[in-house]
Amino acid sequence: MKLGIVGLPNVGKSTLFNSLTKAGALAANYPFATIDPNVGVVSVPDERLKVLSDMHHSKKTIPAVIEFVDIAGLVKGASKGEGLGNQFLANIRECDAIVHVVRCFEDTNVIHVDGSVDPIRDIETINLELLFSDMEILERRYAKVAKQAKNDKTARPEAEFLEKLRPFLEEGHMASAYECANDEEEAIFNTYDLLTSKPVIYAANVAEDDMANDGAENDYVQKVRDYAAGHNAEVFVVCAEMEAEISELDDEERMMFLEDLGLKESGLDKLIKASYKLLGLCSFLTTGEDETRAWTIKEGTKAPQAAGKIHTDFERGFICAEVVKYTDLVEHGGMQGAKEAGLVGLQGKEYVVNDGDVITFRFNV
């Protein structure tokens, strides 16, 4: 999973990225402190891995990972090359979802690029730039396809589709709101990789005082939540400065720090949960003496395709999957106990893998 972190300059974007990834991206109180997309890979916290690893004395424990891409602060006109321009917009196209950091705190020491704090204005500024960038791509594509369609009837369906999609975006609608008429339109739509078609998670960046009640008394946060509710987006409240402090602590100190603040989880944990929910993801597990590992898949994935996440040969030569629920495996002290209790099943090609399934795949190539 790859998430692109976007936002206006000085909203706490790079500070949040640093705390999430400990990658040390430059964070400074002036626009364009980030001049290249910074990339960091973060392990997905999963307590089940340690339990299984200890149970099987695994030599390696490998968690699922999320890749974060920190994009330079966008400004009005970014799609036309203002600020550092649309070179950064291209980096977002490669991401599965967008984490949009929105400033929801007052601080006279931190300059706002537009002179005042207004999260909805900021959101719409970024959205407009993403929309302009998408429209430019569709215009270029239409110019090419319309020309082809005059002599090649196979190009006509795409030309006709673009004649509907382009005006929809020009009216100010995000591509995610467009409803394709049929499977053919949907297949064409998916080839464009439009920025405004991507799922969005809003990171409401607040002062530390607002963390204890999850921003419940912060009017800016409420505005972001109301906006997200109307746009099928997720929201999580975070204090980027506090996350930066937490990221310097070891696990035990981190837990104590969070407990002192009355918090159950860090911003990273909240972001990962929001990401999995928004993208419809879950994890299955494999375990043994060599390694214990978590694998991220889409909800609804069938056993052969899940096997293919491990190796294409597993999918190609799939015979069956030996499946036990994590909770059953732990409760009965391991695979043997779970088998004796009749809780291990052999599943075929139509089996839909669930979160927490512990699987051994049988295959023959």
Side-chain angles (χ1 to χ4, degrees), residues 6-54:
V6 304
L8 290 171
N10 301 342
V11 296
K13 192 169 47 61
S14 291
T15 303
L16 179 62
F17 173 82
N18 289 351
S19 62
L20 294 178
T21 64
K22 300 183 185 176
L26 174 65
N29 182 23
Y30 54 90
F32 315 124
T34 314
I35 55 171
D36 289 306
N38 294 277
V39 179
V41 177
V42 173
S43 299
V44 175
D46 192 335
E47 294 172 358
R48 299 173 298 192
L49 289 177
K50 185 179 187 311
V51 175
L52 291 177
S53 191
D54 290 347

Side-chain angles (χ1 to χ4, degrees), residues 210-225:
D210 284 319
M211 285 303 297
N213 60 9
D214 203 34
E217 296 176 12
N218 183 314
D219 290 341
Y220 295 138
V221 172
Q222 192 52 53
K223 286 177 181 178
V224 174
R225 284 181 168 140

Side-chain angles (χ1 to χ4, degrees), residues 103-143:
R103 179 169 168 176
C104 293
F105 65 89
E106 296 280 1
D107 187 342
T108 53
N109 295 317
V110 181
I111 305 157
H112 190 290
V113 72
D114 284 330
S116 62
V117 179
D118 183 341
I120 304 307
R121 176 201 62 206
D122 294 354
I123 287 171
E124 290 178 345
T125 296
I126 297 290
N127 285 349
L128 204 54
E129 294 310 316
L130 302 184
L131 198 58
F132 286 152
S133 183
D134 282 348
M135 286 161 58
E136 188 181 327
I137 279 189
L138 294 184
E139 285 298 331
R140 286 204 304 265
R141 182 65 190 164
Y142 180 67

Side-chain angles (χ1 to χ4, degrees), residues 135-341:
M135 286 161 58
E136 188 181 327
I137 279 189
L138 294 184
E139 285 298 331
R140 286 204 304 265
R141 182 65 190 164
Y142 180 67
K144 182 179 179 181
V145 172
K147 194 174 180 181
Q148 287 177 340
K150 291 176 182 176
N151 303 310
D152 180 3
K153 63 181 181 182
T154 61
R156 286 174 196 163
E158 184 177 2
E160 290 168 3
F161 172 59
L162 284 168
E163 284 165 4
K164 292 193 290 182
L165 182 60
R166 284 164 57 244
F168 183 81
L169 265 60
E170 285 164 5
E171 288 168 7
H173 302 296
M174 307 292 268
S176 56
Y178 186 84
E179 293 184 13
C180 293
N182 49 49
D183 291 345
E184 185 181 28
E185 278 196 0
E186 190 168 348
I188 297 168
F189 180 86
N190 290 337
T191 63
Y192 300 140
D193 212 11
L194 298 174
L195 297 173
T196 60
S197 70
K198 294 185 182 298
V200 179
I201 303 164
Y202 291 105
N205 187 17
V206 300
E208 190 174 312
D209 292 346
D210 284 319
M211 285 303 297
N213 60 9
D214 203 34
E217 296 176 12
N218 183 314
D219 290 341
Y220 295 138
V221 172
Q222 192 52 53
K223 286 177 181 178
V224 174
R225 284 181 168 140
D226 291 343
Y227 184 91
H231 292 80
N232 198 28
E234 290 287 320
V235 178
F236 78 104
V237 175
V238 66
C239 173
E241 274 197 359
M242 189 185 81
E243 291 297 323
E245 291 176 35
I246 292 173
S247 69
E248 300 300 322
L249 305 175
D250 62 33
D251 289 346
E252 192 175 330
E253 289 174 324
R254 188 180 298 121
M255 289 307 298
M256 288 172 62
F257 187 98
L258 291 171
E259 281 174 17
D260 288 345
L261 291 170
L263 302 175
K264 293 179 182 177
E265 55 190 355
S266 70
L268 174 60
D269 293 335
K270 289 200 283 186
L271 174 53
I272 288 170
K273 282 183 181 176
S275 306
Y276 269 61
K277 182 181 175 185
L278 187 69
L279 295 171
L281 302 174
C282 65
S283 296
F284 73 90
L285 311 163
T286 55
T287 187
E289 195 176 318
D290 285 339
E291 71 172 35
T292 292
R293 185 164 182 165
W295 304 86
T296 302
I297 54 169
K298 280 270 190 186
E299 289 173 353
T301 299
K302 292 183 179 178
Q305 287 69 50
K309 289 286 287 185
I310 300 174
H311 198 286
T312 51
D313 284 351
F314 282 31
E315 181 175 358
R316 193 157 49 93
F318 179 87
I319 297 171
C320 66
E322 189 177 62
V323 183
V324 59
K325 293 186 183 303
Y326 165 79
T327 48
D328 290 340
L329 187 68
V330 173
E331 189 179 333
H332 290 83
M335 190 63 79
Q336 190 56 42
K339 281 181 178 176
E340 289 169 3

